[in-house]
Amino acid sequence: MGAGDGTSRPTDNAFLGPLMGGSLEVAYAGALSFMRRRYSRDLAGIDVAVWGIPLDTAVSNRPGARFGPQAIRRASAILCGDPQYPFHRDPFAEVAVIDYGDCAFDYGRHAEIPATIQAQAAAILDRDVHLVTLGGDHFVTWPLLQAHAAKHGPLALVQLDAHQDTWDDDGERLDHGTFVARAVRAGLIDPARSVQVGIRTHAPEDCGIAILDAYAVHEEGIPRTIERVLARVGDGPAYLTVDIDCLDPAYAPGTGTPVAGGLSSAQLLMLLRGLAPVDWRGMDVVEVAPPYDHADITAIAAAAVVQHYLGIMGPRLARRGRAEMA
């Protein structure tokens, strides 16, 4: 048995591979899951579930984010097998991560979609599984915050974005530009501990949330930005939402509402690594719209965001697992 019979680099790890450890599958072959994690709905013994929400009916500009979860999974195929940079380790050696597939909803019944997302997210969280979500447009963060706050209480929101998303609505609309204001009114997030990074548009309200706009990040640098975010968030539970349009269109052309002057992908990833001390309770990356992408630039950036998040969360989740087994 050896390389000639295909046992050294097997394909279809998404279905046939082991639960733990990195995959050695070649990047251009096999069934695609996020970083070749096993597709499963069995949450027993699982630390992290990666979940897609292919929704883009709430966009105000270009549609296409419904294809985001597919694109991010495809782009993540190059991230399997090797020790992951910059963490010098296999993130799956001690942490059980699955690809939970996509949220199921009736695309024609818009009024039912938020509660459907919330209920399915809550079912995962109720099993004490850490939830990482691939969007979808930014509206999906609203029901995700509902589910996370129901379990953990009010959260600090760390939002990496070009837009504040604090526009007012009547509480009934599906709109990707209103979820922050709605979440503040509902008490899901604590504005005194929340911060928006990379903003380069104006909205009528800031809802009491601190803003580190893109120019401030460029002028002050990533180390100072990390300091300011950590000081704002403190020690309490927090939720991370990454709108890929926080990146400049040069680094993320595949998004619905691109705005010039944003962060580079390197700045974003360095920022995430520096925020490892935060008590993260969940995260999402949203607004990847493949129809406007070129060479998977945007999808690659989004996949790297989740890879970095798993890298910083790995040791914490592994310690949790060992404590529960003791």
Side-chain angles (χ1 to χ4, degrees), residues 6 9-17 23 25-26 29-31 36:
R9 298 185 72 87
T11 59
D12 296 328
N13 281 268
F15 299 108
L16 305 175
S23 167
E25 188 164 350
V26 293
R36 305 293 190 177

Side-chain angles (χ1 to χ4, degrees), residues 19 38-46 49 98-100 127 129:
L19 177 62
R38 182 190 297 176
Y39 272 118
S40 177
R41 294 288 171 91
D42 182 1
L43 295 172
I46 298 303
I98 59 169
D99 190 320
Y100 197 75
R127 299 292 299 276
V129 173

